[in-house]
Amino acid sequence: MFKAILIEKDDAGYRAGLTELNDSQLPDGEVTVRVEYSTLNYKDALAITGKGPVVRRFPMVPGVDLAGTVESSDSDRYQAGDRVLLNGWGVGEGHWGGLAQKARLKADWLIPLPETFSAKQAMAIGTAGYTAMLSVMALEQHGLTPASGPVLVTGANGGVGSFSIALLAALGYTVMASTGRPEEADYLKRLGAAEILDRAELVEKGKPLAKERWAGAIDSAGSHTLANVCAGTRYGGVVAACGLAQGMDFPSTVAPFILRGVTLAGIDSVMRPREDRLAAWQRLADVLDTGMLDEIAHEVGLEEAIDTATRLIEGSVQGRTVVDVNR
């Protein structure tokens, strides 16, 4: 038996609760992992609270991230005792995920846990840090350098935003951080932000083109925020779009793209090929100061994750939430 958060939907309604499950209930997969840590991402919070149509089948164990030790394997790629991690692949949506003490998964979904990180540190990074690094790599691939000019990060107090600031600052970029919580400016400056912008500047409908203010940006909001970010990007700049916290719509025009040559780079972290995942995690190991993780992440137990999910949806959770599934 093992503990897990289980989401159910039936005639009694939609609900998530902590329960005990039997190993025989685990889904199909080549590798069984004894989970040590998971995380609580925005997508997980949507799934647990039912605030978004994330879960595609029921019952479902949420959790798009996990790190732990292989318990058994039918794959040549992994053996019992191997340390592994997982991000995405629809886990926690269509296949039981990481907010449990055990998970059974396809071998292709797993990658080795970098020796640089413990399981807890890897989950403090999680999908948020991995997505932030994919975004930074996209900026670099499109020619952005610290000499190009400042880089704007929206949703700065969230997980992706926090890691984006820390990574960009570590690489020598000047970072502008947009937040709806200006009272937490000191936190953002400790991560490496040089300038704080009030989110109110970006969330309403703006002009097709605005003053050129940043050479690049990482946006996790979408909607009017992303449109305004593009409108304020300098000639030849690049914007990495990796989230939809404000909305899925994109009420923009082609003006930034055909008059200023702005590039809009889409960042998918869920179905990313294995090679890209390995590259991103290696860059994280090379660049990230693990001492920053205590600043960015806080820990909760498995049962606490349910209440924390509600607060995350409300926007009152700072940084990353690491879930110790064994307490």
Side-chain angles (χ1 to χ4, degrees), residues 15-34:
R15 61 196 180 278
L18 186 64
T19 188
E20 286 200 348
L21 299 170
N22 192 286
D23 286 21
S24 64
Q25 295 175 267
L26 286 166
D28 292 338
E30 299 96 353
V31 183
T32 300
V33 177
R34 184 169 293 280

Side-chain angles (χ1 to χ4, degrees), residues 44-115:
D44 301 319
L46 289 173
I48 290 170
T49 61
K51 298 294 185 181
V54 171
V55 179
R56 299 196 298 270
R57 63 177 64 178
F58 297 90
M60 178 57 57
V61 174
V64 304
D65 291 326
L66 64 86
T69 303
V70 173
E71 182 175 90
S72 62
S73 173
D74 295 326
S75 167
D76 293 338
R77 183 173 285 169
Y78 297 105
Q79 299 178 0
D82 287 348
R83 308 278 284 166
V84 294
L85 67 84
L86 177 142
N87 308 112
W89 291 116
V91 170
E93 304 172 63
H95 186 98
W96 283 13
L99 286 169
Q101 293 173 325
K102 283 191 181 184
R104 186 169 292 147
L105 307 151
K106 291 185 178 181
D108 288 345
W109 294 346
L110 299 165
I111 65 170
L113 177 68
E115 293 183 2

Side-chain angles (χ1 to χ4, degrees), residues 156-157 162 165 177 179 184-193 196:
N157 284 95
S162 294
I165 294 168
T179 178
E184 296 179 2
D186 287 346
Y187 162 73
L188 300 177
K189 289 180 179 178
R190 289 196 300 273
L191 294 180
I196 310 299

Side-chain angles (χ1 to χ4, degrees), residues 3 14 29 35 39 46 68 78 90 98 101 121 131 146 155 161 168 175 183 197 208-209 224 230 236 244-245 297:
K3 292 181 179 179
Y14 189 106
V35 182
T39 65
L46 289 173
Y78 297 105
Q101 293 173 325
Q121 288 173 328
T131 301
L168 287 165
V175 183
E183 69 276 7
L197 276 67
L209 286 176
H224 288 294
C230 292
L244 43 72

Side-chain angles (χ1 to χ4, degrees), residues 22 36 40 109 116 125 129 149 168 178 188 277 301 310-311 313:
N22 192 286
E36 296 171 29
L40 194 65
W109 294 346
T116 306
I125 298 166
L168 287 165
S178 169
L188 300 177
R277 295 168 182 269
T310 299
R311 295 194 295 108
I313 293 294

Side-chain angles (χ1 to χ4, degrees), residues 68-270:
T69 303
V70 173
E71 182 175 90
S72 62
S73 173
D74 295 326
S75 167
D76 293 338
R77 183 173 285 169
Y78 297 105
Q79 299 178 0
D82 287 348
R83 308 278 284 166
V84 294
L85 67 84
L86 177 142
N87 308 112
W89 291 116
V91 170
E93 304 172 63
H95 186 98
W96 283 13
L99 286 169
Q101 293 173 325
K102 283 191 181 184
R104 186 169 292 147
L105 307 151
K106 291 185 178 181
D108 288 345
W109 294 346
L110 299 165
I111 65 170
L113 177 68
E115 293 183 2
T116 306
F117 303 125
S118 67
K120 182 177 179 180
Q121 288 173 328
M123 289 297 95
I125 298 166
T127 284
Y130 155 64
T131 301
M133 180 51 84
L134 288 173
S135 300
V136 171
M137 291 167 68
L139 300 184
E140 294 174 334
Q141 289 160 7
H142 286 87
L144 203 73
T145 69
S148 302
V151 178
L152 174 67
V153 175
T154 67
N157 284 95
V160 174
S162 294
F163 275 105
S164 295
I165 294 168
L167 291 169
L168 287 165
L171 290 166
Y173 290 87
T174 299
V175 183
M176 304 168 69
S178 169
T179 178
R181 290 178 265 171
E183 69 276 7
E184 296 179 2
D186 287 346
Y187 162 73
L188 300 177
K189 289 180 179 178
R190 289 196 300 273
L191 294 180
E195 182 180 347
I196 310 299
L197 276 67
D198 192 321
R199 182 176 63 190
E201 296 184 40
L202 300 172
V203 296
E204 302 297 335
K205 182 178 179 180
K207 298 178 180 179
L209 286 176
K211 180 180 178 181
E212 297 178 57
R213 300 175 67 185
W214 37 82
I218 296 175
D219 175 65
S220 57
S223 192
H224 288 294
T225 296
L226 178 56
N228 288 321
V229 168
C230 292
T233 300
R234 294 180 182 178
Y235 189 92
V238 57
V239 177
C242 60
L244 43 72
Q246 186 181 358
M248 191 178 290
D249 59 320
F250 181 45
S252 183
T253 73
V254 299
F257 313 115
I258 65 173
L259 297 181
R260 289 188 183 160
V262 171
T263 296
L264 180 58
I267 307 300
D268 167 59
S269 62
V270 177

